[in-house]
Amino acid sequence: MAERGRGWARAVRGLLLDVSGVLYDSGADGGVPIAGSVEAVRRIKASGLKLQLCTNETQATRESFVRKLRALGFDIAVAQVTAPAPAACHLLRERGLRPHLLVHDDLVPEFAEIDKTNPNCVVLGDAAENFTYANLNEAFRLLIGMEKPVLISLGKGRYYKETDGLKLDVGAYMKALEYACDIQAEVVGKPSKRFFESALAELGVPPEQAIMIGDDIVNDVGGAQQCGMRALQVRTGKFSLQVRAEKNDFEAFPSVSLYLWKQLPGASDGSWQGAVR
Amino acid sequence: MAERGRGWARAVRGLLLDVSGVLYDSGADGGVPIAGSVEAVRRIKASGLKLQLCTNETQATRESFVRKLRALGFDIAVAQVTAPAPAACHLLRERGLRPHLLVHDDLVPEFAEIDKTNPNCVVLGDAAENFTYANLNEAFRLLIGMEKPVLISLGKGRYYKETDGLKLDVGAYMKALEYACDIQAEVVGKPSKRFFESALAELGVPPEQAIMIGDDIVNDVGGAQQCGMRALQVRTGKFSLQVRAEKNDFEAFPSVSLYLWKQLPGASDGSWQGAVR
């Protein structure tokens, strides 16, 4: 609490930004930027603050994800994106795991170098249309047949907002498999502490000098807090739909976002308002 | 414990039987009877014991379910089947609920008399191939859009065994929607106490004089115990796959099933062995 205010805000040297619901609303047509966000990214970069996107996006490789963002007007490089699939590949190699993939078709190339013969784990992503009854059954049968089932979930989001409405996210399907097999998934992605630590390492800034900005109270705000960072929740994306009854210190922390954004000339437009926790 | 043994077994006047995994293994081709079970039903009826099937089957109306069982050789009447869909219809009428159905096509006729306009709840059954990404999203959007979401799940099984292998059951999808919407479903069907009470009422025997026979430790054995009945677990169906580490009095209760079945001349074949709890 003592750190709140002018002194602390001045200490901020880097920003982690969630993408879907913060920079753009995703959709079948590639999605649309949220008003003011293209300009905001430009201003963040111009301000000298370090910037890293910290996303649970698993419907595309990092490369194609960045191509999409650039087409929407965001000046972002591939190295500025921390995403679950590359982190999962690292973990799979580290532990000698051979995955059965239940992911979006467009994510499969991320696992090109990974041995997938005779699977000893299941990797679950936001598979969208690939979440068929047959595919979920296949993943279930593989898991229930393992002596020690390993389920790796790329994030555990409940749902997200696309241009044509809300969509169930990977977390719902993770819970289905957890329940059916009586197991607990390992989450790679937000809100995992390890994932935030990788993002901070790539940002090159310690947690106490970084701030996470997102629309999700659990995955963005909660995850960042567990990692010793502060977090700012924006009122865009699925913000309005989130249950506000969750026990947190939202009410106790007055908004300092306007103050923060006043540090960046011209960046204090309404879409960035929120409360730093 | 004192009731265990000869005296108690003699007091049994009625049996509730699970169907899938006990009488037959279901499958695309109508399924196959489990060895000895057609004869066992015949002998139970001949013995004068009352008999009621207590099933979480929701892939067919009771009428077509009974037609299938009769084709397999089981001498069963429609009134001898307690199933979730008729119980759910009762509950919907009682509470003025208008359901959106995410169920198997063949179950829909059970809800023919129910008002389904402008839904104010979702009824979830074992929808099998109807568990598409689009259908699950539709149910999710309806729920998340309700001021007080009501999700009614016809059973909460984890999985069941068909002739071509294990299949995810309705419980997995129930968990997915519960998680996505941050709600708790109301379960109509086993192991709900109210459902067992209806089955007992239809059997016409008080709980202390009835025994439940099933292959599922939670839905059959646990549910019956909560209702004051004893239960016998058979080693057919998914028995072998169930986690045996669950805390229960399995080890404390020696098997009395052979004893029980000796009361019914000729019914003590191996497929009916198990432990009464």
Side-chain angles (χ1 to χ4, degrees):
Chain A
M1 292 283 186
E3 298 166 89
R4 199 164 20 122
R6 194 171 186 87
W8 165 74
R10 275 196 176 150
V12 172
R13 287 179 45 228
L15 297 177
L16 293 183
L17 257 66
D18 178 30
V19 185
S20 175
V22 174
L23 294 186
Y24 83 123
D25 285 322
S26 59
D29 49 357
V32 291
I34 289 169
S37 62
V38 169
E39 180 65 7
V41 167
R42 203 189 56 73
R43 283 175 178 157
I44 291 166
K45 296 187 78 168
S47 74
L49 281 175
K50 291 191 175 185
L51 176 64
Q52 185 78 14
L53 305 189
C54 184
T55 177
N56 272 3
E57 168 67 44
T58 60
Q59 286 205 0
T61 60
R62 266 198 308 181
E63 284 70 18
S64 63
F65 184 55
V66 164
R67 267 198 303 278
K68 184 170 79 172
L69 292 178
R70 294 186 69 88
L72 293 174
F74 297 102
D75 181 18
I76 292 293
V78 171
Q80 281 181 300
V81 176
T82 304
C89 287
H90 185 75
L91 180 146
L92 292 168
R93 281 199 197 88
E94 207 174 66
R95 287 167 46 188
L97 291 170
R98 300 177 306 276
H100 167 81
L101 302 176
L102 178 44
V103 300
H104 197 283
D105 288 345
D106 295 343
L107 191 71
V108 174
E110 289 276 22
F111 298 88
E113 307 296 316
I114 301 285
D115 180 9
K116 292 179 283 291
T117 56
N118 188 20
N120 58 5
C121 76
V122 167
V123 169
L124 196 68
D126 174 16
E129 302 293 342
N130 279 348
F131 279 133
T132 63
Y133 176 64
N135 285 348
L136 210 64
N137 257 335
E138 188 186 6
F140 159 65
R141 286 181 185 184
L142 279 165
L143 284 169
I144 201 92
M146 292 173 192
E147 200 176 341
K148 208 175 148 50
V150 175
L151 173 61
I152 294 168
S153 187
L154 306 179
K156 61 169 190 174
R158 295 170 190 265
Y159 55 85
Y160 53 90
K161 190 183 165 195
E162 292 215 322
T163 44
D164 63 343
L166 297 178
K167 297 280 170 78
L168 283 170
D169 200 356
V170 62
Y173 293 91
M174 176 193 85
K175 286 290 172 185
L177 291 175
E178 282 188 340
Y179 177 71
C181 302
D182 199 16
I183 57 173
Q184 269 232 298
E186 301 175 38
V187 177
V188 174
K190 297 179 286 186
S192 131
K193 194 177 175 193
R194 183 170 169 176
F195 188 73
F196 275 104
E197 284 168 352
S198 325
L200 283 169
E202 287 166 334
L203 184 67
V205 164
E208 62 275 13
Q209 295 181 359
I211 185 165
M212 170 74 201
I213 301 179
D215 63 335
D216 191 304
I217 185 75
V218 173
N219 293 296
D220 297 325
V221 176
Q225 287 177 336
Q226 276 185 3
C227 206
M229 301 172 59
R230 278 178 181 68
L232 182 144
Q233 189 177 22
V234 290
R235 301 187 192 279
T236 49
K238 64 191 154 189
F239 172 84
S240 63
L241 283 141
Q242 301 213 8
V243 178
R244 307 309 311 274
E246 288 163 22
K247 283 185 182 59
N248 57 48
D249 51 8
F250 187 85
E251 292 306 320
F253 267 78
S255 167
V256 293
S257 64
L258 280 174
Y259 174 81
L260 175 73
W261 290 100
K262 277 178 189 159
Q263 312 296 312
L264 311 178
S268 59
D269 61 83
S271 64
W272 289 89
Q273 289 178 30
V276 170
R277 296 150 191 236
Chain B
M1 294 283 185
E3 297 167 87
R4 201 169 14 127
R6 194 171 187 86
W8 165 75
R10 278 197 175 148
V12 172
R13 288 179 44 225
L15 297 177
L16 294 183
L17 257 66
D18 179 30
V19 185
S20 176
V22 174
L23 294 186
Y24 83 123
D25 285 320
S26 59
D29 49 357
V32 290
I34 289 170
S37 62
V38 169
E39 180 64 8
V41 167
R42 204 188 56 74
R43 285 175 178 157
I44 291 165
K45 296 187 78 169
S47 75
L49 282 174
K50 289 190 176 185
L51 176 65
Q52 185 78 15
L53 305 188
C54 184
T55 178
N56 272 2
E57 169 67 45
T58 59
Q59 285 206 358
T61 61
R62 265 199 308 181
E63 284 70 17
S64 64
F65 184 55
V66 165
R67 267 197 302 279
K68 184 170 79 170
L69 291 178
R70 294 185 68 88
L72 293 175
F74 297 102
D75 181 19
I76 293 293
V78 171
Q80 282 181 297
V81 176
T82 303
C89 286
H90 185 75
L91 180 147
L92 293 168
R93 281 199 195 90
E94 207 174 66
R95 285 165 50 188
L97 291 170
R98 299 177 307 277
H100 167 80
L101 302 177
L102 178 43
V103 300
H104 196 282
D105 288 346
D106 295 342
L107 192 71
V108 175
E110 289 276 21
F111 298 88
E113 307 297 315
I114 301 285
D115 180 8
K116 293 179 281 291
T117 56
N118 188 20
N120 57 5
C121 75
V122 167
V123 169
L124 195 68
D126 174 16
E129 302 293 342
N130 279 349
F131 278 132
T132 62
Y133 177 63
N135 285 349
L136 211 63
N137 257 335
E138 188 186 6
F140 159 67
R141 286 182 184 184
L142 279 165
L143 284 168
I144 202 90
M146 292 173 192
E147 198 175 341
K148 205 172 151 50
V150 175
L151 173 61
I152 294 169
S153 186
L154 306 180
K156 62 169 188 174
R158 295 169 190 265
Y159 54 86
Y160 54 90
K161 189 184 164 195
E162 291 213 325
T163 45
D164 64 342
L166 297 178
K167 298 280 171 76
L168 284 170
D169 200 356
V170 61
Y173 293 90
M174 177 192 84
K175 286 290 170 184
L177 291 175
E178 282 188 341
Y179 178 72
C181 302
D182 199 15
I183 58 173
Q184 268 232 298
E186 302 176 36
V187 177
V188 174
K190 297 179 287 185
S192 131
K193 194 178 175 192
R194 183 171 168 175
F195 188 71
F196 275 104
E197 285 168 351
S198 326
L200 283 169
E202 286 166 334
L203 184 66
V205 163
E208 62 276 13
Q209 296 180 356
I211 183 165
M212 171 75 199
I213 300 179
D215 64 333
D216 191 304
I217 185 76
V218 173
N219 292 296
D220 297 324
V221 176
Q225 287 178 335
Q226 276 186 3
C227 206
M229 300 172 60
R230 279 178 180 69
L232 182 144
Q233 189 177 23
V234 290
R235 301 186 192 281
T236 50
K238 64 191 154 191
F239 172 84
S240 63
L241 284 141
Q242 301 212 6
V243 178
R244 308 309 309 276
E246 289 163 23
K247 282 186 183 58
N248 56 49
D249 50 10
F250 186 85
E251 292 305 319
F253 267 76
S255 167
V256 293
S257 62
L258 280 172
Y259 174 80
L260 174 72
W261 290 100
K262 277 179 188 158
Q263 311 296 311
L264 310 177
S268 59
D269 62 85
S271 63
W272 289 87
Q273 290 179 28
V276 171
R277 295 143 193 242

